[in-house]
Amino acid sequence: MKKIKYTEEELVIHLKSKDPAKFEIIYDYFSASLYGIINKILDNEEQAQDLLQDTFLKIWNNSFSYNPDKSRLFTWMLNIARNTSIDYIRSAQGKNEKKNQSADIYVNMLENGINSCELHNHIGLKKIISELKEEHRQIIDLVYFEGYTQDEISKKLNMPLGTVKTRSRSAIQTLRKALSLEID
């Protein structure tokens, strides 16, 4: 079945309409990408499915706060998914579940890892990120796909925090330009 292409403006109208049928279009359009990102952060497919639902609930409840002048729709939704995942990991429940995961879950993740990593490819995100400079790709991977804060990246890479912030900003600007070309 061929996926219908929508413009950014049409997707924003669907989001802000508060119409469940139109929101279903938003879900269908972005859920695979957001799931891939959440699953990469959590390393737990079952929990990623639950947090995907939490993410879309937050998107629905906060649709009024989306401002197209500040960010692209996908970027806004990606930040909600990322923050929801990081909040979960940092919560007591998340820490407890991470400690209690069975070996079967890890075997299943390894067997299905390729599929979950490729879920966000339908919007070309993997290709766009692969074309970034190495220093930018590394920062994007750590921030958005592994859930590190800029301070944690600074320590992990033994790099000044200001450099991490500058590279993050530069990488995001490059991604915005690339994504705007892809969507248009």
Side-chain angles (χ1 to χ4, degrees), residues 134-175:
E134 175 58 31
E135 64 190 30
H136 292 162
R137 187 171 48 247
Q138 183 181 34
I139 297 293
I140 292 297
D141 187 49
L142 290 170
V143 170
Y144 288 100
F145 298 118
E146 295 187 33
Y148 284 87
T149 65
Q150 290 179 333
D151 188 50
E152 291 168 338
I153 293 170
S154 172
K155 291 173 185 163
K156 179 178 176 71
L157 300 179
N158 196 23
M159 179 185 299
L161 181 59
T163 303
V164 171
K165 289 182 177 189
T166 300
R167 288 183 181 176
S168 295
R169 181 170 172 76
S170 180
I172 289 169
Q173 288 172 337
T174 303
L175 285 173

Side-chain angles (χ1 to χ4, degrees), residues 16 41 73 80 92 94-95 104 117 132-133 143 146 167:
K16 294 199 175 238
I41 292 170
L73 180 60
I80 292 173
K95 288 178 182 176
D104 293 341
C117 291
L132 291 173
K133 292 180 192 176
V143 170
E146 295 187 33
R167 288 183 181 176

Side-chain angles (χ1 to χ4, degrees), residues 70-88:
K70 291 187 177 182
S71 69
R72 308 222 23 111
L73 180 60
F74 180 73
T75 305
W76 179 75
M77 292 170 53
L78 178 132
N79 281 321
I80 292 173
R82 180 185 162 276
N83 292 340
T84 300
S85 301
I86 291 170
D87 289 347
Y88 176 78

